[in-house]
Amino acid sequence: MDTVKLYFRSMKMLLRSQMQYPLSFILQTISQIVMTGGELMAVLLLIDRFDALNHWSAGDLLFIYGMMDITFYLTECFGRGVTGNFAALIQSGGLDTLMLRPRGIFTQTLCRAIDPRRIGCISVGVAAVIMGANLASIEWTFLKWAAFFESILLGMLLILGLFLIEVIFSIYSVKSIEVVNALTYGGRSACQYPIDVYPRVLRLLFMVVAPFALTLHVPAAYILGKPLYGWPDFTAFLCPLAGAVLFFIMYLCFQKALRFYRSTGS
């Protein structure tokens, strides 16, 4: 509980520091809205050109797109210490400083940065979810709301776990391993669309290796009333646990990797 208080206190301080330059913050947030809004426009153009993608309607596509954006950018906003360039922390010797403090390395890493500019991206995702829900005529119930928030929260853990893969490689290699971005940023781009529209190889990649489909698409399909692959309703609450499992595994690997850390001497 003390660690949670420390995290929120750190986020409050970091947010206050960001707000010291309000004009800069506003302009950067607007730029984020414009960039992410451009991606949303691409989806809208696709929907305008095609009435449906497989059995997914325009509203379904917008809803899934919005859920993916909300999940990813919430993680980038509040987990920037992990999703940022961790290799730079190692190269500068900053990780040595963290090891001298009486707190866990992961906690300190998570608390060292915030990116409130992502609020603009999150707002685009929220707009897409609202438009998609209206077009798909979703009848919200308590269980559907529960599935929605569970998907968002456990999806954030999944994304943090995937970024931890890059962190682990950085500890061993000192430099950032760009290929990991195929699972993080590449996964975000690919999984803005339903998983069953992709070939078998990509379906396996995003259901087993980086299980975005389990944490996002299964609950989204349940909410939309189109169960993925005809799976029963309870899978909408069970499958997102894959995000927590992957995060836990990567966290253990991160702790193990720290034992082999060697300072750069910077």
Side-chain angles (χ1 to χ4, degrees), residues 11-68:
M11 293 298 103
K12 182 179 179 180
M13 293 171 61
L14 290 168
L15 184 60
R16 182 180 298 176
S17 69
Q18 293 274 352
M19 293 302 172
Q20 293 302 307
Y21 303 95
L23 181 59
S24 175
F25 168 73
I26 292 171
L27 291 177
Q28 290 186 63
T29 302
I30 292 174
S31 70
Q32 295 283 328
I33 293 175
V34 171
M35 288 188 293
T36 312
E39 295 181 358
L40 178 58
M41 284 300 298
V43 178
L44 292 174
L45 289 173
L46 174 67
I47 291 171
D48 183 63
R49 180 64 180 82
F50 302 98
D51 293 332
L53 186 63
N54 283 356
H55 63 283
W56 303 99
S57 68
D60 300 337
L61 296 176
L62 273 176
F63 186 80
I64 292 173
Y65 171 89
M67 281 187 67
M68 181 75 257

Side-chain angles (χ1 to χ4, degrees), residues 7-8 10-12 14-15 70-84 106-107 109-119 122 156 160:
Y7 172 77
F8 283 110
S10 299
M11 293 298 103
K12 182 179 179 180
L14 290 168
L15 184 60
I70 292 172
T71 305
F72 191 88
Y73 289 118
L74 274 174
T75 310
E76 281 230 302
C77 180
F78 296 104
R80 191 60 182 170
V82 175
T83 65
F106 180 77
T107 300
T109 302
L110 200 60
C111 291
R112 73 185 180 91
I114 189 174
D115 190 358
R117 299 171 303 167
R118 297 301 188 186
I119 292 173
I122 296 167
M156 290 174 66
L160 275 179

Side-chain angles (χ1 to χ4, degrees), residues 153-220:
L153 292 175
L154 296 182
M156 290 174 66
L157 285 182
L158 167 65
I159 294 167
L160 275 179
L162 292 175
F163 274 104
L164 275 178
I165 297 175
E166 184 175 1
V167 170
I168 292 165
F169 277 120
S170 298
I171 292 174
Y172 286 106
S173 66
V174 178
K175 295 184 178 180
S176 177
I177 307 298
E178 294 298 327
V179 71
V180 180
N181 289 337
L183 297 178
T184 52
Y185 295 103
R188 178 189 73 85
S189 298
C191 294
Q192 287 173 334
Y193 301 96
I195 193 65
D196 59 354
V197 305
Y198 293 110
R200 181 180 177 83
V201 173
L202 288 180
R203 291 202 303 269
L204 289 174
L205 175 64
F206 293 116
M207 293 190 78
V208 180
V209 181
F212 282 106
L214 298 181
T215 57
L216 172 69
H217 295 157
V218 174

Side-chain angles (χ1 to χ4, degrees), residues 140-155 213-223 227 231-245:
W140 289 99
T141 64
F142 173 78
L143 288 178
K144 288 185 177 182
W145 278 115
F148 179 81
F149 287 113
E150 180 189 11
S151 175
I152 298 293
L153 292 175
L154 296 182
L214 298 181
T215 57
L216 172 69
H217 295 157
V218 174
Y222 163 73
I223 294 170
W231 292 355
D233 290 350
F234 73 85
T235 57
F237 301 92
L238 183 62
C239 288
L241 294 175
V245 171

Side-chain angles (χ1 to χ4, degrees), residues 70-140:
I70 292 172
T71 305
F72 191 88
Y73 289 118
L74 274 174
T75 310
E76 281 230 302
C77 180
F78 296 104
R80 191 60 182 170
V82 175
T83 65
N85 189 1
F86 191 86
L89 184 66
I90 296 175
Q91 293 164 5
S92 66
L95 188 57
D96 298 10
T97 304
L98 299 185
M99 288 185 165
L100 296 174
R101 297 172 182 169
R103 285 287 179 180
I105 301 299
F106 180 77
T107 300
Q108 293 185 69
T109 302
L110 200 60
C111 291
R112 73 185 180 91
I114 189 174
D115 190 358
R117 299 171 303 167
R118 297 301 188 186
I119 292 173
C121 302
I122 296 167
S123 65
V124 173
V126 171
V129 164
I130 293 173
M131 288 189 295
N134 288 332
L135 286 174
S137 302
I138 296 176
E139 296 182 4
W140 289 99

